[in-house]
Amino acid sequence: VTTIGRHAFSGCSNLSSITLCPGVENLGHYAFYGNTVLTEVLLPKSVTYISRYAFSNVETIIGAKGSYAEEYADKLEAWLTER
Protein backbone atom coordinates (compact mmCIF):
# COMPACT_ATOMS: atom_id res chain seq x y z
CA VAL A 1 0.00 0.00 0.00
CA THR A 2 1.47 3.34 -1.03
CA THR A 3 -1.60 5.56 -0.65
CA ILE A 4 -4.18 5.97 2.08
CA GLY A 5 -7.05 7.24 -0.01
CA ARG A 6 -9.65 9.94 0.45
CA HIS A 7 -11.89 9.26 3.49
CA ALA A 8 -10.25 5.81 3.95
CA PHE A 9 -10.53 5.88 7.75
CA SER A 10 -12.72 8.94 8.12
CA GLY A 11 -15.05 8.67 11.08
CA CYS A 12 -13.57 5.43 12.47
CA SER A 13 -14.50 5.97 16.09
CA ASN A 14 -12.29 3.24 17.60
CA LEU A 15 -8.88 4.31 16.24
CA SER A 16 -6.81 5.70 19.10
CA SER A 17 -3.35 5.43 17.51
CA ILE A 18 -1.94 4.60 14.09
CA THR A 19 1.49 3.48 12.95
CA LEU A 20 1.81 3.50 9.17
CA CYS A 21 4.15 0.97 7.56
CA PRO A 22 7.20 1.96 5.53
CA GLY A 23 6.25 2.33 1.89
CA VAL A 24 3.18 4.49 2.48
CA GLU A 25 3.79 7.68 0.50
CA ASN A 26 0.52 9.63 0.29
CA LEU A 27 -2.29 10.48 2.69
CA GLY A 28 -5.39 11.65 0.87
CA HIS A 29 -8.01 14.25 1.71
CA TYR A 30 -9.84 13.51 4.96
CA ALA A 31 -8.05 10.13 5.28
CA PHE A 32 -8.36 10.18 9.09
CA TYR A 33 -10.77 13.08 9.46
CA GLY A 34 -13.26 13.08 12.30
CA ASN A 35 -11.58 10.38 14.37
CA THR A 36 -12.28 11.94 17.74
CA VAL A 37 -10.30 9.43 19.84
CA LEU A 38 -7.23 9.33 17.56
CA THR A 39 -4.44 10.85 19.65
CA GLU A 40 -1.22 9.62 18.05
CA VAL A 41 -0.04 9.00 14.48
CA LEU A 42 3.41 7.65 13.61
CA LEU A 43 4.45 8.34 10.02
CA PRO A 44 7.33 6.59 8.20
CA LYS A 45 10.05 8.36 6.27
CA SER A 46 8.46 7.21 3.00
CA VAL A 47 5.53 9.66 3.39
CA THR A 48 6.02 12.49 0.89
CA TYR A 49 2.51 13.98 0.69
CA ILE A 50 -0.08 14.68 3.36
CA SER A 51 -3.31 16.36 2.36
CA ARG A 52 -4.12 19.52 4.24
CA TYR A 53 -7.24 17.90 5.67
CA ALA A 54 -5.88 14.40 6.31
CA PHE A 55 -6.25 14.74 10.09
CA SER A 56 -8.46 16.48 12.62
CA ASN A 57 -8.55 16.25 16.40
CA VAL A 58 -5.16 14.51 16.47
CA GLU A 59 -3.03 15.51 19.43
CA THR A 60 0.29 14.00 18.31
CA ILE A 61 1.73 13.35 14.87
CA ILE A 62 5.27 11.99 14.80
CA GLY A 63 7.24 11.85 11.57
CA ALA A 64 10.44 9.93 10.98
CA LYS A 65 13.53 12.05 11.73
CA GLY A 66 14.58 14.22 8.79
CA SER A 67 11.49 13.43 6.72
CA TYR A 68 8.64 15.36 5.11
CA ALA A 69 6.36 13.81 7.72
CA GLU A 70 8.49 15.34 10.50
CA GLU A 71 8.23 18.77 8.85
CA TYR A 72 4.47 18.38 8.55
CA ALA A 73 4.17 17.34 12.20
CA ASP A 74 6.25 20.32 13.35
CA LYS A 75 4.19 22.78 11.28
CA LEU A 76 0.92 21.30 12.51
CA GLU A 77 2.06 21.49 16.13
CA ALA A 78 3.08 25.15 15.68
CA TRP A 79 -0.25 25.97 14.04
CA LEU A 80 -2.23 24.29 16.81
CA THR A 81 -0.20 26.12 19.46
CA GLU A 82 -0.99 29.48 17.83
CA ARG A 83 -4.74 28.84 17.79
Side-chain angles (χ1 to χ4, degrees):
V1 173
T2 58
T3 298
I4 306 296
R6 174 175 263 179
H7 293 282
F9 296 96
S10 182
C12 291
S13 59
N14 293 323
L15 289 176
S16 59
S17 68
I18 296 169
T19 300
L20 296 178
C21 297
V24 173
E25 299 171 356
N26 303 299
L27 302 179
H29 293 308
Y30 305 100
F32 298 98
Y33 189 82
N35 296 317
T36 56
V37 297
L38 182 59
T39 58
E40 183 176 82
V41 178
L42 302 175
L43 302 173
K45 197 169 195 162
S46 57
V47 172
T48 56
Y49 175 77
I50 302 170
S51 165
R52 181 177 175 188
Y53 301 106
F55 301 101
S56 70
N57 303 320
V58 178
E59 293 176 12
T60 305
I61 296 177
I62 301 170
K65 199 81 167 154
S67 69
Y68 170 79
E70 182 182 44
E71 283 180 42
Y72 175 89
D74 291 346
K75 287 177 185 175
L76 183 62
E77 182 179 348
W79 181 77
L80 291 173
T81 303
E82 291 172 5
R83 284 177 52 191

